[in-house]
Amino acid sequence: MLNLIRAECFKLARRPLAWALLAVLIGLLVLLRLTEFMVVGLHDGALGGGAVRLALLSEAQVRQFRLQLTFPGVFGAALGHVNSVGGLCAIVLAAGAVGSEFGWGTLRAQLARQPGRGRYLLAKLAALALALLAGVVLTLLAGAALGLVFGGLLGGRGALRPADLLALPVAALRALLVMLPYVLLTVSCAIAGRSVLAGAAGGFLFLMLDVGLGALAALGQLGGVLAFLVSLVIQPNINTLVVQNSRSFGLDPAVLTPSLDLAGLPSPPHAMLVIVGWSALFGYAAYRALARRDIGGAA
């Protein structure tokens, strides 16, 4: 099994797509933090020698931007970036990693040597999880570097306590869990459709549908069966874990996203249970699709 995982990791590391997605992820992180730095700098008069002051946002919003540019808030901002832009990159990576095996005909050759389809799928998912975890870690490192630069330019880098460092591994795994159901659904669609396009289309369509259903979270306040059904939608439960990550590092996401109803979000244990449940369902669907699918040569 370890040899299979190593082989899948090797294939992912050699794919230009993986490095291109990482460059997009880090590049957009730099762009967003630079934009926040410009907003805070103009507000404080730190740009242009203090000759120019421009209040583009409210004091509370500027304070959140400042927290996101200094420690430990920079980690919360980086994890939020992972669960927004990174989630889109994860869908593309999963679709490419699985769907291309059908298009190139490599899956048939691999299953001829290792006929256990369940083992192959587990190795593929493990490699994807390790790649995504590496992306999370690199994003955190990039965020820390930006915090050192921009925090220094703003006159204060914040303070990093041992508790913040201890919270990082848990927060990173939480961010990975947030992406898991979308990755598994994408893998399932790529197998069912035998192509990269089917996987990417299925992943993005489900993401849009889930976000749309998440907008109905306010209906949960009506109580009863309706509240129970709304609590099973993935998006509100994901919001719970994303908010938990932000708060772990001193951020308040409601300031920058006023439409986010924090009071109506499910509890963290409930959120984790729902996300794991959906992930298990999508993982089983991927296995069934692969187990019952005839594997042909290159398309």
Side-chain angles (χ1 to χ4, degrees):
M1 188 64 186
L2 289 177
N3 288 335
L4 282 175
I5 295 175
R6 279 196 290 264
E8 293 301 327
C9 288
F10 178 78
K11 287 193 290 184
L12 273 179
R14 296 296 296 270
R15 291 179 64 90
L17 175 64
W19 296 103
L21 290 172
L22 179 61
V24 169
L25 180 65
I26 302 298
L28 288 177
L29 177 70
V30 174
L31 183 61
L32 288 172
R33 294 295 85 81
L34 178 60
T35 302
E36 294 171 358
F37 168 73
M38 295 293 291
V39 171
V40 176
L42 288 172
H43 181 273
D44 294 348
L47 304 178
V52 179
R53 288 180 178 267
L54 185 60
L56 300 175
L57 299 173
S58 68
E59 290 290 342
Q61 291 172 324
V62 172
R63 181 176 179 274
Q64 284 299 307
F65 276 3
R66 185 177 287 107
L67 289 174
Q68 292 183 168
L69 293 169
T70 57
F71 294 98
V74 66
F75 292 131
L79 291 170
H81 183 75
V82 164
N83 288 139
S84 55
V85 177
L88 302 178
C89 293
I91 290 175
V92 175
L93 180 63
V98 177
S100 61
E101 298 274 15
F102 292 92
W104 295 341
T106 53
L107 180 58
R108 183 175 185 177
Q110 180 157 341
L111 291 179
R113 298 192 303 270
Q114 296 283 347
R117 298 190 180 190
R119 288 164 55 85
Y120 162 79
L121 181 60
L122 285 176
K124 178 70 76 175
L125 294 178
L128 280 171
L130 290 173
L132 294 176
L133 186 58
V136 173
V137 172
L138 290 174
T139 303
L140 287 170
L141 292 175
L146 293 173
L148 290 172
V149 174
F150 292 141
L153 292 174
L154 292 174
R157 296 188 174 95
L160 193 59
R161 302 167 302 169
D164 299 322
L165 295 176
L166 292 175
L168 278 175
V170 176
L173 292 176
R174 197 181 290 131
L176 186 64
L177 179 62
V178 165
M179 294 186 285
L180 188 59
Y182 300 108
V183 169
L184 290 171
L185 188 277
T186 300
V187 169
S188 179
C189 291
I191 294 173
R194 301 195 223 188
S195 70
V196 175
L197 181 60
F204 283 120
L205 285 175
F206 176 73
L207 176 61
M208 290 188 290
L209 176 63
D210 188 49
V211 171
L213 291 175
L216 303 177
L219 297 178
Q221 298 178 0
L222 299 178
V225 178
L226 186 59
F228 174 73
L229 293 177
V230 170
S231 71
L232 297 181
V233 176
I234 297 179
Q235 191 62 42
N237 293 284
I238 280 178
N239 287 341
T240 293
L241 299 188
V242 172
V243 168
Q244 191 176 14
N245 267 352
S246 296
R247 286 178 167 173
S248 297
F249 300 100
L251 300 179
D252 184 2
V255 174
L256 297 176
T257 313
S259 60
L260 183 62
D261 181 16
L262 299 181
L265 293 179
S267 66
H270 177 276
M272 293 185 67
L273 183 62
V274 169
I275 293 173
V276 169
W278 279 107
S279 299
L281 179 63
F282 294 148
Y284 178 73
Y287 169 73
R288 292 294 295 170
L290 183 62
R292 302 175 66 176
R293 175 69 64 188
D294 291 332
I295 307 300

